[in-house]
Amino acid sequence: MAESIQSLDQLSQLKPAAAEAPRYVKKIDKHGRAYATGKRKDAVARVWVKPGSGKITVNTRAFEVYFARPVLRMMIQQPLVSSNRQGQYDVICTVSGGGLSGQAGAVRHGLSKALTNFEPELRGILKKGGFLTRDSRVVERKKYGRAKARRSFQFSKR
């Protein structure tokens, strides 16, 4: 057992071992793919990433066909662009639930997580861009006695 401490000077000499930063390891399946699940609103995306030519497939369709709006396509490619990896990985994902905007957000979240599973050193860049944070905002439920979640029925004096 260690001897007892008599003064504050002795206490300052006792320093706990420096906590080591968590080490992130590469997580790949037997096919050489990294997997992650992304979520946004009611949408859930399952995303697989593997080295390739940069082809993105959503529900067995090209993502240009599935997400027709340019804003949604740009949103999905943000993690690849910010990490400077566009054209290096093939992305295969299945998306269900929600609308197109929520699905695009779910694919972006899943793609970011899958990239960090494949290349752990990209975590800092993606974390700084805010791509690894799950956007927890969901639609507020409708309350009884109300027209919608907060809107009241129209008031009439007579």
Side-chain angles (χ1 to χ4, degrees):
M1 185 80 189
E3 57 190 73
S4 62
I5 299 168
Q6 301 298 325
S7 69
L8 289 174
D9 295 331
Q10 290 176 337
L11 185 63
S12 66
Q13 292 171 356
L14 291 174
K15 291 185 180 169
E20 222 177 271
R23 303 270 328 246
Y24 295 98
V25 292
K26 197 172 182 178
K27 295 178 189 157
I28 295 177
D29 65 2
K30 62 184 178 186
H31 301 292
R33 304 175 301 187
Y35 168 79
T37 305
K39 294 180 181 183
R40 169 85 169 91
K41 293 186 179 179
D42 273 341
V44 179
R46 302 184 306 158
V47 182
W48 290 268
V49 171
K50 64 180 180 181
S53 60
K55 195 170 88 173
I56 301 175
T57 310
V58 180
N59 291 352
T60 67
R61 286 188 263 171
F63 95 116
E64 292 89 2
V65 175
Y66 195 86
F67 295 109
R69 287 189 297 201
V71 174
L72 299 179
R73 288 195 294 244
M74 183 250 334
M75 199 168 126
I76 290 170
Q77 289 180 325
Q78 279 178 335
L80 294 168
V81 171
S82 68
S83 61
N84 209 11
R85 297 289 191 272
Q86 63 266 41
Q88 295 182 21
Y89 291 109
D90 284 343
V91 179
I92 299 138
C93 56
T94 57
V95 173
S96 63
L100 282 179
S101 174
Q103 287 185 351
V107 170
R108 181 178 85 165
H109 184 230
L111 176 57
S112 305
K113 284 169 61 175
L115 278 174
T116 56
N117 287 342
F118 200 88
E119 277 189 75
E121 60 271 8
L122 293 178
R123 183 174 170 81
I125 298 165
L126 295 172
K127 184 83 172 155
K128 196 174 286 183
F131 302 126
L132 295 176
T133 307
R134 195 256 200 242
D135 190 353
S136 60
R137 295 175 297 169
V138 291
V139 177
E140 191 175 346
R141 76 173 190 88
K142 184 197 175 300
K143 278 75 169 190
Y144 61 89
R146 299 267 173 179
K148 292 172 25 179
R150 298 186 180 196
R151 190 192 180 323
S152 301
F153 294 112
Q154 184 172 348
F155 175 75
S156 173
K157 209 171 205 177
R158 295 177 204 28

